[in-house]
Amino acid sequence: MNTKIARRDFIKSGVAAGISLSGTPAILQGKDDREIKLGFIGIGGRGTGMLKTTMRLPNVSVTAVCDTFPKNLRAAQALVEKTQGLKPESYGDHELSYLDLLERDDLDGIVICTPWELHLPMTIAAMKAGKYAATEVGPASSVNECRELINTYEETRVPCMLLENYCYFRYNMAVLKMVRQGLFGEIIHCTCGYGHDLRERIVLGKGTGPTSKGEGDYRSTHNEYRNGDLYPTHGFGPIAQCLNIQRGNRIQQLTSTASKSRGLRQWSKDNLKADHKRRNIRWNQGDVVTTTLKCFNGETVVLTFDTRLPRPMSFMYQVQGTHGIWMQDGDSSSRNKSVIYLDGKSPHHQWESFDSYQEKYEHPVWKSYLDEAEASGHGGTDFLEMREFVSCIRDKKTTPIDAYDAAAWMAIAPLSELSIATGSAPVAFPDFTNGAWMTNKPIFGLG
Amino acid sequence: MNTKIARRDFIKSGVAAGISLSGTPAILQGKDDREIKLGFIGIGGRGTGMLKTTMRLPNVSVTAVCDTFPKNLRAAQALVEKTQGLKPESYGDHELSYLDLLERDDLDGIVICTPWELHLPMTIAAMKAGKYAATEVGPASSVNECRELINTYEETRVPCMLLENYCYFRYNMAVLKMVRQGLFGEIIHCTCGYGHDLRERIVLGKGTGPTSKGEGDYRSTHNEYRNGDLYPTHGFGPIAQCLNIQRGNRIQQLTSTASKSRGLRQWSKDNLKADHKRRNIRWNQGDVVTTTLKCFNGETVVLTFDTRLPRPMSFMYQVQGTHGIWMQDGDSSSRNKSVIYLDGKSPHHQWESFDSYQEKYEHPVWKSYLDEAEASGHGGTDFLEMREFVSCIRDKKTTPIDAYDAAAWMAIAPLSELSIATGSAPVAFPDFTNGAWMTNKPIFGLG
């Protein structure tokens, strides 16, 4: 069976036989033991983590791995062989070896954990090869690339999934449930972002790919040449769910403003020897990028990208409506601690801890997961998203974070660059749904 | 002595004899017992509070009060008479009665606590009458009005002072001291704002002026007709000090985006009877306005205006540099609690409480004030700013928050309106200093 036939079959089963577009989410459905075969493209630091997570899933095998860095390939093969008993075939002789992997006729799905600029091209290639594609998060390189993702989906009907694990955060799913139950009233304003001190990583690189630490990597390159919100989806994804972006709502426009670029240079000066070859790089990327989005339904979102200055980690989540507000707290455990104020319920003008609300409004996905987790001990949002991806493949369903989500969320990056490059001029946001946003319904975290 | 002669004398003493432009701030100088006579214009809720605060100052008397609301006038006269033994003369027969008050030749300074739209016209009139003018905070009605303030100052050299008490907050002054000592490295990005649930006040009015509660007041009117950041200075003032705005730095431009307007309507629906005359007002003001400012030195500032939704109070302060970050915490006591992270000093990627830093970097103004306060029991930032205003008058000094500060900070309001009205278009910020910002030195909180 060649991939063309496979793709034609897929389209048939998808469109004619009907990929289920609604109903109980895959993640909540009963067991189906059909084995799902996955191929991994990119098995550096993040890819290895996702590979380990994936192999915890029942009835999933990894039969092919691809990386242009031989050390990564060997390690991944050994890891898979040790875990599942069979050594996956390896690909990686050249930059386009992943296309050979995609030609395999045994693969049901592809997981992509490569450098940022490869995410969308590889996702598109996987869909064209008739394989469900899951891609790690990052920025789009251009709006055109996002458009091509949509065109590919609409031509092939092969689903893809953006692996935005932050949508699966326990507190984000509880807040989403509360939003949908109307606890906050009509949603008016949200904030979100990615605040993470990555100075060393950006200047020196991670060393988990073909370049050693000290030589920089893809993240370094993007920071050296680009200037925009290069990591919008961790912040924006969960907020997009609360605002029904492209499912009854749409981003109308954005403005973006970058601060000066000093953090990486200062860190290099403070930490690298005078003759270190990465000490005097001229970084284009501003230290803090602030993007303000306006939605067609009138909501505003402030998105912050802040990875080049010293700071404790924060995702800056805030969801504010006519009847209440929820926000991450600023204290030392900010990622897992948040506060809430509900009009007429909370003590007058006083924040409450979110803890009791978390318990009361626990999302069903987390309710069942916590029960399981106590027994099996596997952990976290990566597991939840990979389990859902595999369930979608198994049930031939569309994914809960789909091509339209990926396109819109990742497009924030090039659009923010355009706004910054034109003095914070407002930039109209493309409609990737071609008008369907007015009638589309939410697909994430249902039930 | 008529006011024209008085003004000429003032200009002579100011320009020829020399208003001191530098040196030890007035607030820190030794005692001078010359009595200072003040007139108050506007003695509603806030004016009465400021009147009480002012009368705690030694060797200050209030000899004239003005309000168009007779009840306020009588109450203020009684209050002053009770406190200082002499009944001040009253003005208020008509809207322009304050001009009669300004003609008095016994007054050294004027304190203005009137509705927002009167602040700048009255300040300008007071300066033209040769009187030091202190005005409460609020938005400018137009950039032109700010320009006129500057023209008036440059023509008369009579100082005015914006009573931005938030600049005197204990933690803001400590942070300013730390910024100046370089603890945060080079400042890159700041946030600030005014988050205060004022729904009832905006819809119904305060009832402390000529209109009763339930009839609305100036704040209601501004929210009904305008749409911008109508209260920028509480947030921006302290940040402007950290960024040396107009004193080595300048705002280059801003973009502003307003959310939809729902909060006031929803509050009215939830709280007012169906036939209440203020239940169905069509409010122009968006619930949350986000303004992003870019400075000539490359810093960004995000300013939020949020008074029409339920929420605990917050000023959203954050100061972030190449070596550290300080921010207000989100918890229930957020106004007086904040956290800090200093690179290489704080535990790795962990917030610390600001408490020990507050003690270590206490500003001299607060150090001496806390000593006094223990003895005399008077309280707060209003006292500090009024004491400094009176000291400036006594010493014929310029004020620490001057006409240039007032013009730039208050101009954010009409400029944000312009940006919002033009789809968040970037708006160039006027240079009120005519180039002097490049060489001007900081004047606030020195010592």
Side-chain angles (χ1 to χ4, degrees), chain B residues 1-9 103-105 131:
Chain B
M1 186 169 86
N2 71 38
T3 49
K4 280 189 181 168
I5 293 169
R7 184 156 74 252
R8 204 178 309 127
D9 286 352
E103 287 292 318
R104 292 173 64 97
D105 60 8
K131 316 277 196 293

Side-chain angles (χ1 to χ4, degrees), chain A residues 49-84:
Chain A
M50 290 301 275
L51 188 59
K52 287 179 183 170
T53 299
T54 301
M55 288 190 299
R56 288 185 188 131
L57 293 166
N59 301 310
V60 173
S61 62
V62 175
T63 59
V65 290
C66 175
D67 200 296
T68 55
F69 187 36
K71 193 178 157 193
N72 284 349
L73 263 186
R74 287 192 300 272
Q77 283 183 302
L79 177 69
V80 174
E81 189 176 16
K82 188 181 163 194
T83 312
Q84 68 184 27

Side-chain angles (χ1 to χ4, degrees), chain A residues 258 260 270 294 298 306 320 323, chain B residues 258 260 270 294 298 306 323:
Chain A
K260 58 187 159 188
D270 293 345
K294 179 84 183 258
D306 170 12
Q320 189 173 14
H323 284 139
Chain B
K260 58 187 160 189
D270 293 345
K294 179 84 182 258
D306 170 12
H323 283 140

